Amino acid sequence: MLSRDDPAAYERLCQEYGDRLHDYCRSALDDDEALAATAGALQAALAHSHRLPDVTRLRAWLYSLARAECQARQDGSGHKGASARRGRDGGPEVALEVLASLEPREREILDLTLRHGLKSDEVARVLDISVESVESAARAGRRHAEQWLAAVMDARGAEP
């Protein structure tokens, strides 16, 4: 699938992974920067395709490249991505409030597992941590999110 000598390889990568990687980058960056990070990750994948010995690890590798591109573009001013977006009524959406309440590692692991469908071993490769650490942080993140959501819904007088 990957070969820098194949002129259609970049297009195939964009079609198959571009939207999901861009969505992932949007969790850390604004629109323009997320687009640049996505393109950079896909271009890096082609440029360094010889470094991927096992094609079954392509998805995790692409997310690792996207993560590195995002980190390189962050200016230290904090999280500028999806959690800063507003709902239709001008206030933050509850789901985004829940995500913002989590520790950054929990948030990223839940984002990769729940929204992007990566398996624990893929997330472990992306974040360069153990599978056990991924699973532990995912459990803690789900528990913290549930507790926070229940508290917010109770405070607002809404049914969970």
Side-chain angles (χ1 to χ4, degrees):
M1 163 140 194
L2 281 183
S3 170
R4 55 184 161 187
D5 298 326
D6 179 1
Y10 185 77
E11 185 177 334
R12 284 194 309 272
L13 278 177
C14 286
Q15 288 175 346
E16 189 166 348
Y17 298 100
D19 288 343
R20 300 302 296 163
L21 291 175
H22 181 257
D23 183 54
Y24 176 63
C25 291
R26 281 286 295 129
S27 69
L29 303 169
D30 63 25
D31 284 330
D32 292 338
E33 288 293 315
L35 186 59
T38 303
L42 294 172
Q43 289 167 352
L46 283 180
H48 302 286
S49 60
H50 61 283
R51 292 186 178 181
L52 181 67
D54 184 358
V55 75
T56 63
R57 295 183 175 185
L58 175 62
R59 183 169 72 160
W61 188 55
L62 290 172
Y63 275 90
S64 293
L65 293 172
R67 184 172 191 260
E69 288 286 331
C70 289
Q71 289 175 337
R73 284 171 167 73
Q74 288 175 328
D75 63 3
S77 63
H79 190 75
K80 305 186 304 184
S83 63
R85 291 192 288 243
R86 300 282 174 187
R88 284 187 269 269
D89 63 356
E93 296 176 16
V94 173
L96 296 177
E97 289 179 32
V98 171
L99 288 175
S101 75
L102 299 175
E103 294 293 324
R105 176 60 52 106
E106 293 172 351
R107 180 175 43 249
E108 187 167 21
I109 288 172
L110 290 178
D111 188 37
L112 289 168
T113 56
L114 299 176
R115 291 185 56 237
H116 294 277
L118 272 69
K119 297 175 185 160
S120 294
D121 64 316
E122 291 176 306
V123 175
R125 282 189 212 107
V126 170
L127 302 179
D128 195 26
I129 60 176
S130 70
V131 172
E132 294 78 22
S133 294
V134 168
E135 292 171 350
S136 174
R139 281 190 303 275
R142 282 198 258 343
R143 186 175 58 253
H144 294 144
E146 289 169 359
Q147 291 169 346
W148 192 92
L149 183 58
V152 167
M153 299 305 271
D154 185 49
R156 293 181 181 175
E159 289 295 318

